[in-house]
């Protein structure tokens, strides 16, 4: 959620929600203003992020973004980890959303690096351990950060605690996006190549960003910093990755996290083990050469140099730290081999998206505000991102389908976006759209009004969960809204089994996201279920379904 700015500003005596008195501006970024405030009810200091309205959006688009942001903020508020920002409250006043968070005295990592230069390797290793714990907690809850960068890491002055912030709100602003909403979100210098390619992403993409962040903290700037957005994209998806000499103490974990092939990239547990070993001994053990199911490493020299593309090359002077990696075919858009031409096409697509994105400037694309301060913005899970621009021409009441989705005009009197390959199946009193292998299931049910409304209905369902769902656990109900209407989000895990006898079982159980709201005198339930291991992708399908659902 919001990050604490590094510059104090003027005072303000506004009181929002009848409770939070805004007193001093702490910072301004692409997402809006961050205030120091007092919680008048509990008598404590808090930080309040006042989210800005993107004027390029229509009223309907702005409403949709606000609803998604508030829903994601409430989801993040359920996370409990000492290195994840605590979200106390989410309020709306005069149609402006505000996120109320714990106040971290000390500023951001970006400010620390700007004022004092790079950190020592021991402190960077400790930071990596803290952030890996925060990311693992979020990933287990099905939440991807997707914008890990120095501006979104806070350093508490009194304790030295690193805190990860700004989950879930990058889509409110074009300040750090390559294109408009639904296409690409994030800061290119810290964005994994598979996200640039528009491929399916998961927790590994956040780990790539952490690898780039570790290098930045050690060397003072991103390993992918270039003078133009085109240069940044080229560096991320094509150039040899050459960590600077300052990264040498943590080199195995840096190289392991910055593997362009997600199948070979270090996972969180491996990276944490390496960093803990360094903190304990002052030496970094070698990274595991292979992971179960990983493809063998494939190194090369720069195209055109001795050894030739695709042939093993001898490390240049400087040893392992200067050995280059070639982008494997699997990391290209669509997974197609293509060598130089494929990479060039990917970069061209990304550049086209960057140029076409309305109201986006190159300065903001590389993560800077107009005054030179890094923009503190971020994102969460959303429909699969892409660096191409989608041509949309919807009717006045038609939802828009993200790329890779289609609009299902259901005979039950509604429409919503579902992945192109999902098929419709009757499901008791409702209907489901199911992936070909049965792994994912999107369910829709419409009934009459229920006693007590959506919140009471979801609380009853949660209470009855152990009776209706074998192995019911981790259930929680969150009050929220949907298009201004009262709604309730129910999340839970149950034992895994093959739904409908057609696959989709999972030894770790299945995770369900279920939003209930009232509309036109009816109660609407939209839910998505998937194996726990695929919860992040399920959450993207869920967001797409909820955001595009319309009654006919």
């Amino acid at each position: 959620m919001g990050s604490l700015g590094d510059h104090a500003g003027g005072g303000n005596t506004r009181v929002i929600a009848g409770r939070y008195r805004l007193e001093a501006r702490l910072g301004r970024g692409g997402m809006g203003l961050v205030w120091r405030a007092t919680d008048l009810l509990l008598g404590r200091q808090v930080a309040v992020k006042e989210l800005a309205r993107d004027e390029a959006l229509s009223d309907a688009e702005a409403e949709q973004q606000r609803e998604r942001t508030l829903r994601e903020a409430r989801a993040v508020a359920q996370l409990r980890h000492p290195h994840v920002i605590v979200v106390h409250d989410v309020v709306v006043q005069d149609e402006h959303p505000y996120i109320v968070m714990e106040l971290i005295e000390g500023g951001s990592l970006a400010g620390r690096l700007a004022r004092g230069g790079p950190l020592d390797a021991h402190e960077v290793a400790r930071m990596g351990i803290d952030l890996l714990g925060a990311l693992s907690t979020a990933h287990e809850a099905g939440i991807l950060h997707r914008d890990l960068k120095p501006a979104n890491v806070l350093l508490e002055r009194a304790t030295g605690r690193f805190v990860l912030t700004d989950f879930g709100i990058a889509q409110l602003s074009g300040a750090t996006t390559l294109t408009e909403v639904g296409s690409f979100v994030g800061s290119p210098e810290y964005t994994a190549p598979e996200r640039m390619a528009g491929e399916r992403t998961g927790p590994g993409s956040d780990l790539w960003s952490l690898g780039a962040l570790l290098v930045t903290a050690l060397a003072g700037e991103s390993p992918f910093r270039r003078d133009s957005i085109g240069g940044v994209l080229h560096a991320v998806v094509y150039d040899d990755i050459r960590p600077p000499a300052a990264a040498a103490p943590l080199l195995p974990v840096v190289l392991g996290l910055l593997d362009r092939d997600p199948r070979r990239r270090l996972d969180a547990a491996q990276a944490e083990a390496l960093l803990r070993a360094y903190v304990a001994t002052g030496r970094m053990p070698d990274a595991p050469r292979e992971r179960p199911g990983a493809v063998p490493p494939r190194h090369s020299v720069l195209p055109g140099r001795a050894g030739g593309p695709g042939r093993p090359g001898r490390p240049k002077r400087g040893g392992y730290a200067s050995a280059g990696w070639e982008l494997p075919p699997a990391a290209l858009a669509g997974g197609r081999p293509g060598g130089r031409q494929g990479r060039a096409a990917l970069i061209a697509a990304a550049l086209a998206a960057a140029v076409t994105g309305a109201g986006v400037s190159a300065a903001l694309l590389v993560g800077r505000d107009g005054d030179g301060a890094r923009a503190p913005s971020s994102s969460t899970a959303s429909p699969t991102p892409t660096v191409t621009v989608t041509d949309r021409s919807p009717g006045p009441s038609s939802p828009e389908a993200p790329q890779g989705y289609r609009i299902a005009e259901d005979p039950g009197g509604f429409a919503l976006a579902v992945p192109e390959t999902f098929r419709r199946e009757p499901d008791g009193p409702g209907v489901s759209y199911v992936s070909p292998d049965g792994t994912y299931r999107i369910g829709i049910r419409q009934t009459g009004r229920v006693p007590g409304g959506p919140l009471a209905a979801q609380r009853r369902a949660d209470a009855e969960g152990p009776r209706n769902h074998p192995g019911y656990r981790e259930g929680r109900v969150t009050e929220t809204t949907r298009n201004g209407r009262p709604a309730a989000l129910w999340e839970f895990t149950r034992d895994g089994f093959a739904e409908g006898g057609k696959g989709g079982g999972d030894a770790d159980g299945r995770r369900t996201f279920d939003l209930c709201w009232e509309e036109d005198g009816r109660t609407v339930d939209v839910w998505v279920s998937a194996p726990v291991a695929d919860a992040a992708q399920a959450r993207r399908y869920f967001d797409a379904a909820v955001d595009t659902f319309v009654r006919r």
Side-chain angles (χ1 to χ4, degrees):
M1 286 312 130
S3 64
L4 183 66
D6 299 307
H7 304 286
N12 191 294
T13 57
R14 282 187 296 152
V15 175
I16 61 169
R19 175 174 176 177
Y20 304 106
R21 185 176 63 216
L22 309 185
E23 296 168 342
R25 195 179 73 196
L26 295 171
R28 176 187 292 275
M31 306 312 302
L33 293 173
V34 180
W35 301 91
R36 179 187 295 273
T38 296
D39 181 342
L40 300 175
L41 180 62
L42 299 180
R44 63 181 174 184
Q45 291 283 289
V46 294
V48 175
K49 171 159 282 190
E50 178 180 4
L51 301 178
R53 160 76 183 266
D54 186 346
E55 298 300 331
L57 300 179
S58 68
D59 289 344
E61 290 171 332
E63 173 67 19
Q64 184 181 87
Q65 281 195 336
R66 181 167 64 248
E67 293 299 333
R68 168 175 285 182
T69 298
L70 296 179
R71 187 169 68 248
E72 295 296 342
R74 292 175 178 121
V76 174
Q78 306 301 315
L79 299 180
R80 293 292 181 266
H81 192 276
H83 302 289
V84 174
I85 194 76
V86 175
V87 176
H88 296 309
D89 200 359
V90 180
V91 299
V92 177
Q93 179 162 316
D94 299 327
E95 298 185 356
H96 285 283
Y98 297 81
I99 300 175
V100 183
M101 303 156 289
E102 67 174 318
L103 180 64
I104 304 294
E105 300 279 9
S108 69
L109 176 63
R112 166 75 179 272
L113 295 174
R115 291 190 300 268
L119 309 182
D120 66 68
H122 186 276
E123 188 172 17
V124 173
R126 186 172 60 82
M127 177 186 72
I129 293 169
D130 291 351
L131 297 182
L132 282 166
L135 288 172
S136 295
T137 295
H139 294 161
E140 289 169 3
I143 298 173
L144 300 182
H145 191 285
R146 301 179 70 217
D147 198 22
L148 185 60
K149 60 183 180 181
N152 291 337
V153 176
L154 308 183
L155 178 55
E156 191 169 47
R157 186 181 302 112
T159 65
R161 178 173 63 117
F162 291 95
V163 181
L164 185 56
T165 185
D166 264 359
F167 287 85
I169 54 178
Q171 287 188 325
L172 282 178
S173 170
T176 56
T177 63
L178 289 180
T179 64
E180 67 260 76
V181 174
S183 296
F184 183 90
V185 188
S187 303
E189 288 180 55
Y190 299 93
T191 298
E194 65 268 20
R195 285 199 58 228
M196 292 286 194
E199 294 182 346
R200 174 177 174 173
T201 61
S205 298
D206 279 346
L207 297 179
W208 165 283
S209 301
L210 177 62
L213 181 72
L214 295 178
V215 177
T216 300
L218 289 163
E221 70 174 15
S222 164
F224 306 109
R225 171 64 56 87
R226 300 294 188 271
D227 292 334
S228 67
I229 182 60
V232 172
L233 295 169
H234 194 278
V236 170
V237 303
Y238 181 72
D239 285 349
D240 277 7
I241 300 173
R242 300 177 181 273
L250 306 183
L251 190 61
V253 74
V254 165
L255 292 178
L257 292 172
L258 291 180
D259 195 315
R260 283 191 171 108
D261 188 337
R263 297 170 298 175
R264 295 199 307 253
R265 195 171 299 154
L266 287 182
D267 62 28
Q270 291 171 322
E272 183 174 347
L274 291 173
L275 292 172
R276 288 193 180 278
Y278 181 83
V279 170
T281 67
R283 297 185 59 189
M284 174 70 72
D286 291 335
R289 289 187 175 272
E290 292 188 12
R291 289 164 42 197
V295 297
R298 189 164 69 92
H299 298 284
S300 76
V301 297
L302 281 170
R305 295 189 177 182
R311 288 158 48 193
R314 188 176 304 164
K316 323 300 188 288
R317 187 173 58 187
Y320 191 30
S322 60
W325 292 356
E326 182 180 16
L327 178 64
L332 298 175
R336 298 183 302 274
R340 281 183 171 182
Q341 291 183 343
R343 289 189 288 270
L346 171 59
I347 295 169
L351 284 171
V355 171
T356 309
V360 180
S361 70
L364 294 178
L365 285 167
V366 294
R368 295 185 180 274
D369 284 333
D371 61 1
R374 290 180 181 270
S377 54
S378 67
S379 67
T380 57
S382 65
T384 305
T386 174
V387 293
T388 59
V389 178
T390 304
D391 181 19
R392 297 167 177 166
S393 302
S397 61
S398 299
E400 301 177 15
Q403 185 164 338
Y405 292 68
R406 62 184 173 87
I407 297 300
E409 294 284 352
D410 196 273
F414 62 87
L416 80 169
V418 300
E420 292 175 345
T421 59
F422 280 33
R423 64 185 182 276
R424 184 181 188 275
E425 291 184 357
D427 188 1
V431 64
S432 290
Y433 287 84
V434 186
S435 62
D437 62 357
T439 297
Y440 303 97
R441 180 175 290 264
I442 302 172
I444 306 95
R445 184 173 62 179
Q446 300 184 85
T447 61
R449 291 186 181 274
V450 295
L455 182 60
Q458 298 288 54
R459 285 175 173 169
R460 285 193 294 269
D462 178 49
E464 296 169 0
R467 185 174 64 211
N468 296 329
H469 303 282
Y472 182 84
R473 56 195 181 272
E474 298 171 0
R476 65 187 182 196
V477 175
T478 306
E479 185 175 11
T480 182
T481 59
R482 200 264 178 183
N483 289 344
R485 300 179 180 92
L489 175 64
W490 177 30
E491 305 169 63
F492 65 91
T493 301
R494 59 169 170 78
D495 287 346
F497 58 85
E499 294 210 45
K502 300 180 180 180
D506 185 270
D508 295 326
R510 291 182 65 88
R511 187 71 176 166
T512 296
F513 305 93
D514 183 329
L515 188 72
C516 174
W517 72 93
E518 288 186 352
E519 182 174 350
D520 298 332
R522 304 281 288 173
T523 299
V524 181
D525 258 295
V526 174
W527 53 270
V528 174
S529 173
V532 167
D534 297 308
Q537 181 62 51
R539 185 62 190 245
R540 289 191 283 273
Y541 291 154
F542 175 72
D543 285 336
V546 168
D547 287 347
T548 58
F549 181 93
V550 294
R551 281 179 48 79
R552 295 307 197 195

